[in-house]
Amino acid sequence: MQKRKRHSKKATIIFYLLVVYILAALVWWFISLEQQNNRLHQSKIEHLKIAVPDTVSTRYKNQLYFIKDEYRRNRIKYAGEGIVFLGLLLTGALFIYRYITQQARLQQQQQNFTMAVTHELKTPIAVATLNLETLLKHNLDEGKRRKLIAMTLEETARLHFLTSNILVSAQLEGQGHKINKEELNLSNLLTDRIAEFEKRFQDRRFEAFIDPEADINGDPLLLQILTNNLIENALKYSPKESLITIRLLKQPQQVIVSVTDEGPGIPDEEKKMIFTKFYRIGNEATRKKQGTGLGLYLCDKIAKDHNADISVTNHDPNGSTFAVKFHT
């Protein structure tokens, strides 16, 4: 990674040096042409004075006019060519600069993603391993044994959730996953997902308002991942004592699924960026919540693949509401 960063920095320096060199060459070219034009202009005037000594004659004045007009047109031509070349150079430099900046940002995001995934994978594995070793080494009472087993199952579920996001993200991006759409009852699917989260997070508060018999055409696995990510995101970014509200509203031409949390909310300037791959709110130095930056990206990708729109709005008095509108 360090080697790649050094190569990127070297390429950036070479790019800036090249731009400076081309600009200097362009300025030198313009100055040279202007000096050549001035010398040619003075030379023609001197020849004219020799050929037509009478400087007040009509012939002299006409030829002098043509010489000055040629001089003026050459200056305009050189200036025009210089402006065009400069414009093309700056346009090209801008595109290259934006590309380098985007690549640097993507590289940093990928590095952050790798670090986050490493941490996210290690934590559940370490906890599950410790719990299993405790069960093997100690003769615990039934209550403690069940608690350790439940914690281990929670960590394996977390591990499954993370690996599913990574695999599905790679498959969807590389067209490796074929979307198997079928007629399904979204009300039942969402009810099952909520029941699973209530079982996993018994200390959290959930409230559901589900309209029955909301049928859509979709991929059951991908829609499970979508709803899982929205609920998981709400749990992650809201206080433990706060309420998570899940709604499914059935309308004549659309079905709307929304998840509302009571967390700190999302700044307006970041609302359009949160669905970008690897993007996470805040900066790496101050960010406290763990994550990979894939969850909302997957939600957006899956929603688009199902002819749906996903959006985020503020929730009064605090928090956010993520809504997915399926067009039926």
Side-chain angles (χ1 to χ4, degrees), residues 128-229:
T129 302
L130 180 62
N131 290 344
L132 293 174
E133 288 177 349
T134 303
L135 288 171
L136 283 174
K137 293 179 180 179
H138 303 281
N139 188 17
L140 303 175
D141 60 61
E142 184 65 17
K144 291 182 178 179
R145 192 176 67 86
R146 284 182 170 273
K147 184 177 180 180
L148 282 178
I149 292 174
M151 289 174 60
T152 304
L153 290 174
E154 168 61 28
E155 293 302 325
T156 55
R158 177 183 170 188
L159 188 61
H160 178 265
F161 173 79
L162 176 62
T163 53
S164 294
N165 273 357
I166 296 173
L167 291 174
V168 172
S169 174
Q171 290 172 348
L172 288 177
E173 196 167 75
Q175 304 300 322
H177 180 87
K178 183 179 180 181
I179 300 178
N180 298 312
K181 291 186 179 181
E182 59 184 64
E183 191 73 22
L184 60 87
N185 190 313
L186 189 58
S187 302
N188 292 342
L189 185 148
L190 188 55
T191 301
D192 291 342
R193 292 294 88 216
I194 296 171
E196 177 66 23
F197 275 94
E198 287 176 334
K199 182 179 178 181
R200 288 174 53 196
F201 300 92
Q202 297 183 12
D203 59 336
R204 301 300 298 265
R205 295 168 55 210
F206 295 91
E207 190 173 50
F209 303 94
I210 310 296
D211 287 351
E213 304 303 323
D215 296 327
I216 67 169
N217 193 34
D219 186 312
L221 175 60
L222 294 182
L223 292 176
Q224 284 183 26
I225 293 174
L226 185 150
T227 53
N228 282 351
N229 276 307

Side-chain angles (χ1 to χ4, degrees), residues 309-328:
D309 302 315
I310 186 169
S311 61
V312 57
T313 55
N314 295 332
H315 173 248
D316 189 34
N318 57 287
S320 302
T321 296
F322 285 86
V324 184
K325 297 180 181 180
F326 297 91
H327 304 284
T328 59

Side-chain angles (χ1 to χ4, degrees), residues 2-3 15 33 51 54 70 77 80 88 116 137-138 144 170 174 188 199-200 202 208 221 239 241 266 287 290:
Q2 292 297 327
K3 186 177 180 180
F15 166 72
L33 287 179
D54 187 2
E70 182 183 21
K77 181 179 69 174
L88 291 174
K137 293 179 180 179
H138 303 281
K144 291 182 178 179
N188 292 342
K199 182 179 178 181
R200 288 174 53 196
Q202 297 183 12
L221 175 60
E241 67 278 4
I266 301 172
R287 188 181 295 116
Q290 295 297 326

